[in-house]
């Protein structure tokens, strides 16, 4: 492929669902600006390319790489290191890359258990009991599939990251704004934020953008969303349904609570917060309206899966990262 | 590299620290390894808290231009103030001094000198990182409310209330029972002088009841406490007396006419009766009775109203309801007393099963001239005078199955019982004791007197009290089986009556009391003093004091002494007119705050308010006590505490882990 002289752009998906790619395409005609200003050199979902093409590029020759997905296997890690080497600006794009997201919830169990659940449990139709084998000797030679790591890692636990863009996926208007910013920087009209910054997000939390009425919080019972008719005007947390809004960085425009669903925390921790789950946990614990240990116990029983609730998106980026079960081997 | 000029001072504390930590090495290491972190002076000294030690710091501040000071010595509880003052004298803001503990947290817990020394280095390193983040602060001054709340109207509370009231300051006393007086009012005689308990107590009770500076609430409880030293808000629940105290003259006709007799489990210890409308005893203060609604025929069945019919002033009011009101007080004295050990918990002693086994409180009521038997010592049948009595010491005390502690009063109480039995019945008396403890003034002399009266003392823990006769002469008696450890023989002593000197236990609701007032209690449940020797009546919560048996088992003289001591502390504080408070405060970053209102209900001092038009929460620095609750609760990390900011704590951790020695830039931006 010959260069057209424009700055080079790459996007990659590691352990991810593909939602981030769709979010990028969802910027509509803005994608034409990307094409006008960048030469897309590597973007597996959108164009054909080989890893060896990337390996052949000069170090630092890609201006901007949006890297989504967590580091689940050795292929993910290899490409992360490769793109780090080839890119001037590496952005951890989306929740998986910034904080582990859903893939990192596997860090609560051992990798054997993950594979077992995937291929052998009752919900799986696998009559021949086929399990993936790491290597296979074909007539043409030995082939292999990427090796799974016991712990899912975030991008910055593997390589140095320049910027973080949270969200599952990042909101399209935020992506568009970031692309505009980079174009402005290219044209000398703006400067980049300090390295390590979170971009494409707000500086407060979701409650800041949420129009629901709020009062002091006193919770006597936690309810699950399917068991309750939510009042459309009042703070969801006050109604006993755990809303992660108070702990979650804003930038999405509080879409979920406005649609009658609690915030589930995909934009990650607020600026300066070390451990998202711990913060949310202490906040939720703080508003339980009881001093009686037995009653508190009963109220807490209303949260059937605390790790999944409070660390839904952040387990990989949390202080603990994984449970003992995952580390055990 | 930090721009600060830091001095590090490592204390030997005699051999307390130097015994297990190589202090010279710690000091040398800090001077070299932490040079890049800003340490310009590092010294070790025998006693940093001595005036010479303090002068060392002052001299360095002046000559070396120190901007931060780290002292590695004992716990900040002991000497933080000392070193802050030393810095202040030297011209440095006192809040730029960190005291890190290498004694309680290091030398005292590590037997290995090499390990202790390495840990001390890490602790010093943490202190250095923390002190870099410290900011100069000025202490806050707030006026103190002179009103004092005394909780509990036993002898300790009475003494405390009178001392404060007589010093000219207002007192609010809250007592759970219908009358003040506490356990002392149940006694007939007090050891060792055998003076009449009522004769010395009731004048004090009357004084409390009529004192112009004392506002007394009986049949009332504290239900909520908020605020802080100098400015507490206390909610009191006045239980419905069903008697209008403005109209009641205390004539007693209602008690006379009430047809409902119930066993009095509190004042008479279950040994006597009272009416459904009652004052616990004739000299009760206040004189107004209460209606026990659980037993009153009118409240149970809707008819009777005899008291109302006969009351000459129309004071009976069945419609009264529990009332809650809030008072503002500056300081609080807790004198909540004790509960008697339930002797049923030791089944082999037969209490509750064998009629003539009595508890100590029951016996007190038996001997009391105003008690159910008019002071006659008789068996449970009410007529038979016992010819032999056994008194068992340490029932539920000094016993790892029940309470490991000594209840302090049982020996003397049992000697008093022995004397009273002799005096009133002429019976043979056997005291079964483990050790005889008579340490206070006049106590040993009293022991000698009871010995001379012919009491039999048997050193041994009683195994069993039974009515199963095995030998002639035991029929119809209670047999006390014990080993006499002085002669090394088992013995069976048949007696008519047994008195169990039961343990003093913490009040059954000690946990609620501790939580309500924000203080801590020991494993057993006694409220904990600030220092067991040097600060016995203060607690770790500023402005809250403890006195009497709430703090631990003690006799009347000790309770009175503590009541007076607590009062002296309170009066001393009131006379300062204002109190100095640590300038440790929380503040909310208005840009980060999303107005989620999680913190609003958290603050124990009501210092957080929600600003509706800007949709953010704010901390009122005049009310904030810097407790840190909201800092921890804020899900957005928008609240920060001075002195304990996240950055300062994380920096201290980095220091402890020696991350600061690696090439990472930790310096504040």
């Amino acid at each position: 492929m010959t260069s057209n002289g424009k700055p080079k752009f790459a996007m990659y998906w590691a352990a991810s669902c593909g939602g981030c790619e769709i979010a990028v395409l969802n910027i509509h005609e803005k994608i034409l600006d990307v094409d006008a200003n960048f030469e897309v050199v590597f973007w597996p979902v959108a164009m054909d390319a080989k890893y060896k093409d990337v390996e052949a590029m000069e170090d630092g020759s890609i201006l901007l790489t949006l890297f989504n997905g967590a580091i689940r296997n050795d292929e993910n890690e290899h490409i992360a290191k490769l793109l780090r080497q080839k890119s001037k600006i590496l952005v951890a794009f989306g929740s998986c890359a910034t904080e582990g997201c859903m893939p990192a919830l596997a860090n609560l169990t051992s990798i054997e258990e993950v594979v077992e659940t995937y291929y052998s449990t009752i919900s799986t139709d696998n009559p021949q009991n086929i399990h993936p084998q790491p290597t296979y000797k074909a007539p043409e030679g030995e082939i292999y599939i990427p090796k799974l790591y016991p712990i899912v890692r975030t991008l910055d636990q593997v390589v140095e990251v320049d910027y973080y863009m949270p969200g599952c996926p990042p909101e399209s208007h935020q992506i568009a704004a970031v692309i505009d910013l980079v174009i402005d920087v290219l044209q000398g009209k703006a400067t980049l934020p300090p390295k390590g910054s979170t971009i494409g997000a707000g500086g407060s939390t979701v409650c800041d953008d949420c129009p629901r009425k709020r009062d002091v919080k006193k919770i006597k019972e936690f309810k699950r969303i399917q068991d309750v008719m939510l009042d459309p005007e009042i703070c969801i947390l006050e109604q006993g349904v755990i809303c992660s809004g108070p702990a979650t960085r804003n930038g999405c425009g509080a879409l979920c609570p406005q649609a009658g669903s609690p915030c589930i925390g995909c934009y990650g921790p607020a600026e300066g917060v070390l451990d998202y789950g711990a913060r949310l946990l202490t906040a939720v614990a703080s508003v339980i309206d009881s001093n009686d240990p037995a009653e508190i116990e009963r109220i807490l029983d209303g949260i059937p899966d605390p790790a999944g609730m409070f660390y839904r998106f952040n387990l990989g980026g949390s202080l603990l990262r994984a449970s003992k079960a995952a580390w055990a081997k | 590299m930090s721009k600060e000029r830091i001095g590090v001072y490592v204390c030997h504390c005699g051999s307390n620290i130097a015994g297990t930590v190589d202090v010279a090495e710690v000091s040398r290491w800090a001077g070299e390894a932490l040079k890049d972190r800003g340490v310009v002076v590092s010294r070790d000294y025998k006693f940093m808290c001595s005036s010479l030690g303090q002068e060392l710091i002052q001299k360095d501040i002046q000559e070396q231009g120190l901007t931060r000071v780290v002292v590695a010595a004992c716990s900040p509880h002991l000497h933080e103030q000392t070193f802050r003052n030393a810095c202040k004298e030297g011209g440095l803001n006192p809040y730029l001094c960190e005291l890190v503990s290498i004694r309680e947290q290091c030398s005292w817990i590590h037997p290995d000198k090499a390990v202790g020394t390495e840990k001390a280095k890490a602790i010093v390193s943490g202190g250095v990182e923390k002190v870099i983040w410290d900011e100069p602060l000025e202490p806050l001054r707030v006026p103190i409310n002179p009103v004092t709340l005394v909780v509990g109207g036993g002898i300790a509370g009475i003494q405390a209330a009178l001392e404060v009231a007589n010093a000219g300051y207002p007192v609010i006393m809250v007592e759970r029972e219908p009358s003040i007086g506490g356990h002392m009012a149940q006694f007939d005689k007090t050891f060792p002088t055998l003076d009449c308990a009522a004769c010395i107590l009731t004048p004090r009770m009357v004084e409390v009841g009529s004192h112009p500076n004392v506002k007394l609430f009986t049949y009332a409880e504290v239900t909520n406490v908020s605020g802080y030293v100098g400015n507490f808000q206390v909610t009191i629940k006045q239980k419905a007396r069903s008697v209008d105290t403005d109209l009641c003259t205390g004539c007693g006709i209602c008690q006379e006419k009430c047809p409902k007799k119930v066993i009095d489990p509190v004042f008479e210890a279950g040994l006597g009766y009272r009416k459904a409308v009652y004052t616990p005893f004739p000299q009760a203060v206040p004189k107004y009775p209460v209606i026990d609604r659980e037993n009153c025929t009118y409240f149970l069945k809707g008819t009777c109203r005899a008291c109302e019919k006969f009351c000459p002033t129309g004071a009976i009011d069945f419609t009264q309801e529990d009332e809650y009101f809030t008072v503002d007080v500056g300081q609080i004295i807790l004198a909540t007393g004790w509960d008697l050990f339930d002797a049923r918990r030791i089944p082999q002693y037969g209490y509750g099963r064998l009629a003539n086994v009595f508890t100590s409180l029951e016996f007190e009521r038996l001997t009391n001239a105003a008690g159910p038997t008019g002071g006659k010592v008789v068996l449970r049948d009410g007529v038979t005078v016992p010819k032999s009595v056994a008194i068992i010491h340490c029932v539920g005390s000094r016993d790892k199955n029940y309470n490991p502690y000594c209840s302090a009063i049982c020996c003397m109480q049992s000697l008093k019982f022995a004397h009273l039995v002799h005096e009133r019945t002429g019976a043979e008396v056997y005291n079964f004791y483990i050790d005889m403890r008579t340490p206070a003034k006049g106590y040993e002399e009293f022991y000698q007197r009871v010995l001379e009266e012919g009491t039999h003392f048997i050193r041994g823990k009683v195994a069993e009290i039974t009515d199963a006769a095995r030998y002639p002469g035991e029929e119809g008696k209670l047999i006390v089986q014990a080993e006499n450890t002085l002669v090394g023989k088992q013995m069976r002593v048949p007696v008519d009556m047994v008195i169990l000197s039961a343990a003093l236990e913490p009040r059954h609701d000690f946990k609620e009391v501790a939580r309500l007032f924000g203080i801590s209690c020991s494993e057993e449940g006694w409220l904990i003093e600030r220092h067991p020797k040097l600060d016995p009546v203060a607690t770790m919560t500023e402005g809250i004091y403890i006195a009497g048996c709430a703090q631990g088992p003690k006799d009347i003289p000790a309770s009175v002494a503590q009541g007076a001591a607590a009062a002296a502390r309170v009066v001393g504080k009131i006379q300062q007119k204002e109190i100095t408070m640590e300038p440790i405060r929380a503040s909310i970053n208005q840009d980060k705050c999303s107005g989620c209102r999680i913190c609003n209900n958290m603050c124990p001092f009501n210092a957080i308010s929600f600003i509706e038009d800007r949709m953010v929460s704010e901390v009122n620095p005049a009310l904030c006590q810097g407790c840190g609750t909201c800092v921890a609760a804020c899900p957005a990390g928008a609240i920060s505490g001075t002195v304990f900011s996240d950055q300062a704590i994380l920096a201290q951790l980095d220091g402890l882990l020696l991350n600061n020695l690696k090439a990472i830039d930790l310096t504040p931006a």
Side-chain angles (χ1 to χ4, degrees):
Chain A
M1 196 194 299
T2 52
S3 170
N4 58 14
K6 287 185 283 190
K8 294 188 172 76
F9 170 90
M11 185 157 184
Y12 185 70
W13 51 3
S16 68
C17 67
C20 286
E21 323 280 333
I22 293 166
V24 171
L25 294 174
N26 207 26
I27 62 177
H28 304 297
E29 62 276 10
K30 185 71 75 186
I31 199 76
L32 298 174
D33 289 352
V34 176
D35 184 55
N37 286 281
F38 294 97
E39 178 194 348
V40 180
V41 292
F42 181 60
W43 188 354
V45 78
M47 55 177 274
D48 188 26
K50 298 283 179 257
Y51 291 162
K52 64 172 171 34
D53 296 339
V54 184
E55 280 157 15
M57 290 177 197
E58 255 179 63
D59 286 0
S61 62
I62 305 173
L63 178 74
L64 176 66
T65 295
L66 303 182
F67 190 106
N68 72 81
I71 310 302
R72 164 88 275 183
N73 58 36
D74 59 355
E75 182 190 20
N76 302 152
E77 184 174 13
H78 170 67
I79 303 300
K81 286 181 172 160
L82 184 63
L83 285 172
R84 169 70 282 180
Q85 197 184 335
K86 304 298 174 191
S87 311
K88 277 209 178 67
I89 302 170
L90 178 66
V91 178
F93 187 85
S95 179
C96 293
T98 54
E99 47 174 0
C101 195
M102 304 294 156
L105 284 175
N107 289 359
L108 292 168
T109 45
S110 69
I111 192 65
E112 290 77 17
E113 210 177 324
V114 171
V115 174
E116 187 65 18
T117 305
Y118 195 93
Y119 289 98
S120 306
T121 44
I122 197 151
S123 62
T124 310
D125 186 18
N126 187 6
Q128 289 165 284
N129 195 27
I130 294 171
H131 274 58
Q133 301 303 313
T135 56
Y136 177 70
K137 281 200 176 85
E140 297 83 1
E142 196 174 51
I143 55 173
Y144 78 99
I145 57 168
K147 180 173 159 277
L148 292 176
Y149 291 142
I151 307 284
V152 173
R153 285 173 293 170
T154 64
L155 184 60
D156 71 353
Q157 288 164 7
V158 177
V159 294
E160 203 177 324
V161 167
D162 298 305
Y163 298 105
Y164 299 86
M165 203 165 164
C168 181
E171 276 306 307
S172 295
H173 74 276
Q174 295 282 14
I175 302 172
V178 166
I179 286 170
D180 278 345
L181 172 73
V182 178
I183 293 170
D184 282 353
V185 171
L186 287 175
Q187 295 170 354
K189 288 191 265 183
T191 51
L192 285 170
K195 198 179 152 178
S197 300
T198 295
I199 55 173
S204 177
T205 63
V206 173
C207 299
D208 222 9
D209 302 335
C210 178
R212 286 176 178 261
K213 281 199 212 90
R214 61 204 71 172
D215 206 333
V216 290
K217 288 158 182 55
K218 289 179 172 181
I219 295 178
K220 279 269 182 219
E221 184 190 0
F222 288 116
K223 300 173 197 132
R224 303 182 77 185
I225 179 92
Q226 64 267 33
D227 299 331
V228 62
M229 277 301 280
L230 284 178
D231 182 303
E233 304 281 319
I234 299 169
C235 168
I236 292 174
L237 183 54
E238 279 162 40
Q239 300 182 56
V241 174
I242 296 185
C243 176
S244 308
T248 306
R249 189 188 278 270
N250 64 343
C252 60
L255 292 173
C256 297
Q258 291 193 68
S261 180
C263 168
I264 55 173
C266 77
Y267 260 64
E271 188 72 45
V273 169
L274 263 189
D275 191 298
Y276 174 88
R279 273 282 167 198
L280 183 58
L281 191 69
T282 48
V284 169
S286 301
V287 294
I288 292 175
D289 184 24
S290 174
N291 282 326
D292 171 37
E295 192 187 13
I296 292 172
E297 201 67 39
R298 184 188 60 72
I299 296 172
L300 287 176
D301 284 344
I303 308 173
D305 174 18
M309 175 83 242
F310 298 111
Y311 285 99
R312 192 180 311 201
F313 291 92
N314 189 248
L315 191 67
S318 69
L319 284 173
L320 291 176
R321 294 192 190 182
S323 74
K324 204 176 168 190
W327 283 114
K329 256 193 164 169
Chain B
M1 163 105 194
S2 149
K3 61 183 187 301
E4 304 300 342
R5 295 177 62 77
I6 305 167
V8 171
Y9 301 87
V10 184
C11 183
H12 297 210
C13 196
S15 63
N16 272 311
I17 295 170
T20 24
V21 169
D22 183 346
V23 284
E25 165 61 12
V26 174
S27 154
R28 183 203 61 77
W29 177 86
E32 283 174 20
L34 301 175
K35 205 175 196 169
D36 285 349
R37 306 302 305 147
V39 173
V40 291
V41 182
S42 184
R43 301 183 196 279
D44 62 283
Y45 190 72
K46 204 141 193 80
F47 288 105
M48 280 309 301
C49 61
S50 67
S51 49
L52 288 175
Q54 295 180 51
E55 281 164 21
L56 214 56
I57 299 175
Q58 289 160 11
K59 202 159 151 264
D60 285 346
I61 292 171
Q62 281 149 9
E63 291 176 3
Q64 310 261 359
L66 297 185
T67 60
R68 296 286 190 278
V69 167
V70 174
V71 183
C74 51
S75 160
H77 277 314
L78 268 95
H79 275 305
E80 185 170 70
Q81 213 48 51
T82 310
F83 296 114
R84 279 186 175 168
N85 284 342
C87 287
K88 196 176 162 198
E89 294 299 312
L92 186 68
N93 184 290
Y95 294 91
L96 299 178
C97 169
E98 274 297 318
L99 173 55
V100 293
S101 168
I102 57 166
R103 194 178 73 168
E104 288 82 347
Q105 295 181 353
C106 186
S107 69
W108 277 357
I109 52 172
H110 292 295
D112 182 336
K113 197 162 187 171
V115 171
T117 304
E118 287 313 301
K119 182 168 172 185
K121 287 177 185 172
I123 292 172
V124 168
S125 160
V128 166
E129 291 310 317
K130 167 83 166 43
V131 84
I132 294 172
W133 288 88
D134 284 347
E135 291 166 59
L137 299 168
E138 291 302 324
L140 300 172
R141 296 182 168 279
V142 292
I144 187 161
N145 183 335
V147 181
T148 302
L149 173 73
V150 177
V151 184
I155 186 60
I158 288 173
Q159 183 71 27
L162 288 177
E163 298 268 358
V164 176
N166 286 335
Y169 300 109
V171 172
I172 294 171
M173 178 181 270
V174 175
E175 165 61 46
R176 184 184 285 174
E177 297 298 326
S179 169
I180 59 170
H183 283 297
M184 188 176 169
Q186 295 173 278
F187 306 160
D188 186 52
K189 295 279 187 280
T190 55
F191 60 75
T193 47
L194 297 174
D195 35 4
C196 153
C199 310
I200 56 177
L201 176 66
T202 51
R204 298 287 180 103
M205 290 166 58
V206 171
E207 200 181 342
V208 168
S210 59
H211 203 294
N213 284 341
V214 181
K215 186 129 186 55
L216 178 61
F217 297 98
T218 60
Y219 211 46
E221 283 181 65
V222 174
T223 57
N224 193 40
V225 179
S226 62
Y228 52 92
V229 56
N231 298 280
F232 289 108
Q233 288 82 43
V234 178
T235 308
I236 298 171
K237 173 189 178 185
Q238 174 67 64
K239 287 182 272 185
R241 271 193 124 83
S242 313
V243 169
D244 185 338
T245 51
D246 289 337
L247 298 174
C248 177
T249 60
C251 67
I253 290 177
C254 54
Q255 299 189 54
E256 213 172 282
K257 298 295 180 187
C258 175
K260 184 71 177 278
K261 244 184 172 183
V262 289
I263 288 176
D264 179 356
V266 180
F267 191 76
E268 295 293 1
L271 207 60
Y273 292 91
R274 61 162 166 77
K275 294 294 185 63
V277 53
Y278 71 104
T279 52
F281 51 103
Q283 307 98 314
V285 172
K287 61 194 172 187
Y288 316 117
V290 300
I291 293 181
D292 164 11
R293 292 187 173 188
E294 279 175 20
N295 287 300
C296 168
T297 310
Y298 172 70
F299 280 100
L300 290 176
K301 294 183 181 153
T303 57
C304 181
R305 307 180 83 127
C307 50
E308 191 184 37
K309 210 178 304 165
F310 288 100
C311 176
T313 59
I316 301 290
D317 179 0
F318 293 115
T319 64
Q320 265 186 11
E321 280 176 25
D322 292 352
E323 268 179 68
Y324 291 83
F325 52 91
T326 303
V327 294
D328 292 332
V329 301
Q331 295 172 93
I332 298 172
I333 298 173
L334 295 177
T336 48
W338 53 278
D339 279 340
L340 192 72
F341 171 76
D342 181 1
R344 285 180 189 83
R345 288 175 59 199
I346 310 184
Q348 64 270 32
Y349 286 180
Y351 178 70
R353 178 165 50 87
L354 304 172
N356 291 318
V357 178
F358 290 80
T359 65
S360 37
L361 269 186
E362 283 180 325
F363 187 76
E364 294 282 3
R365 294 310 298 156
L366 272 187
T367 56
N368 195 302
T373 59
K376 283 202 269 303
V377 175
V378 287
L379 299 184
R380 197 78 67 172
D381 65 7
V383 286
T384 315
V385 177
K387 293 197 177 61
S388 52
V389 176
I391 301 167
I392 321 292
H393 296 220
C394 299
V395 175
S397 311
R398 306 184 67 200
D399 182 336
K400 65 178 180 184
N401 297 312
Y402 305 102
N403 294 302
Y405 54 82
C406 168
S407 287
I409 55 111
C410 321
C411 281
M412 286 305 294
Q413 167 189 266
S414 302
L415 293 173
K416 175 182 80 177
F417 290 167
H419 169 81
L420 292 175
V421 172
H422 276 300
E423 184 186 79
R424 309 233 169 137
T425 67
E428 285 294 316
V429 182
Y430 303 87
N431 273 47
F432 292 85
Y433 69 100
I434 309 177
D435 294 295
M436 191 59 71
R437 296 184 170 179
T438 58
K441 190 173 175 181
Y443 288 10
E444 182 65 17
E445 292 88 328
F446 186 73
Y447 176 31
Q448 289 305 321
R449 174 177 170 184
V450 176
L451 268 173
E452 283 161 21
E453 285 172 355
T455 310
H456 306 282
F457 283 94
I458 299 151
R459 187 175 190 275
K461 197 170 163 65
V462 172
E464 189 186 17
I465 296 158
T466 175
D467 57 355
R470 207 186 285 168
Y471 302 107
E474 291 184 353
E475 298 87 355
K477 299 268 186 185
L478 293 171
I479 302 104
V480 182
Q481 168 92 44
E483 183 190 351
N484 186 335
T485 57
L486 294 182
V487 291
K489 269 192 181 158
Q490 283 291 332
M491 56 192 298
R492 289 169 66 84
V493 182
V495 293
D496 296 327
M497 177 191 238
V498 174
I499 306 164
L500 305 177
S501 262
L504 269 51
E505 285 193 334
R507 283 286 187 200
H508 59 279
D509 54 353
F510 67 86
K511 273 192 189 142
E512 277 95 293
V513 170
R515 189 164 60 211
L516 195 57
F517 292 91
I519 58 174
S520 31
C521 42
S522 69
E523 205 181 325
E524 291 101 15
W526 306 111
L527 303 179
I528 293 182
E529 62 279 3
R530 183 176 277 255
H531 191 285
K533 298 175 195 75
L534 301 179
D535 214 349
V537 295
T539 65
M540 293 308 284
T541 303
E542 201 63 42
I544 296 188
Y545 302 89
I546 51 180
C549 287
Q551 182 258 0
K554 56 181 63 65
D555 56 17
I556 294 167
S559 295
V560 169
Q562 279 206 337
R569 297 293 302 273
V570 162
V571 169
K573 230 175 200 139
I574 297 172
Q575 286 176 344
Q576 292 170 13
K577 294 201 171 57
E578 54 177 24
I579 35 175
T580 310
M581 291 203 299
E582 289 278 292
I584 298 172
R585 294 290 174 271
S587 61
I588 300 181
N589 180 331
Q590 303 286 290
D591 291 335
K592 282 187 174 182
C593 175
S594 66
C596 73
R597 304 195 66 174
I598 295 268
C599 60
N600 288 188
N601 218 24
M602 292 288 96
C603 180
F605 312 101
N606 295 320
I608 301 179
S609 49
F610 183 63
I611 313 298
E612 202 77 52
D613 54 339
R614 284 188 286 126
M615 293 292 274
V616 289
S617 295
E618 261 181 15
V619 174
N620 177 347
L623 294 175
C624 174
Q625 295 300 295
C627 70
T629 307
C630 61
V631 180
C634 177
I639 313 183
S640 179
T642 39
V643 185
F644 294 107
S645 67
D646 280 359
Q647 294 95 322
I649 292 170
L650 291 171
Q652 189 162 15
L653 283 172
D654 274 327
L656 279 165
L657 298 169
L658 303 179
N659 287 345
N660 51 349
L661 304 185
K662 297 166 195 157
I664 305 169
D665 189 16
L666 304 163
T667 317

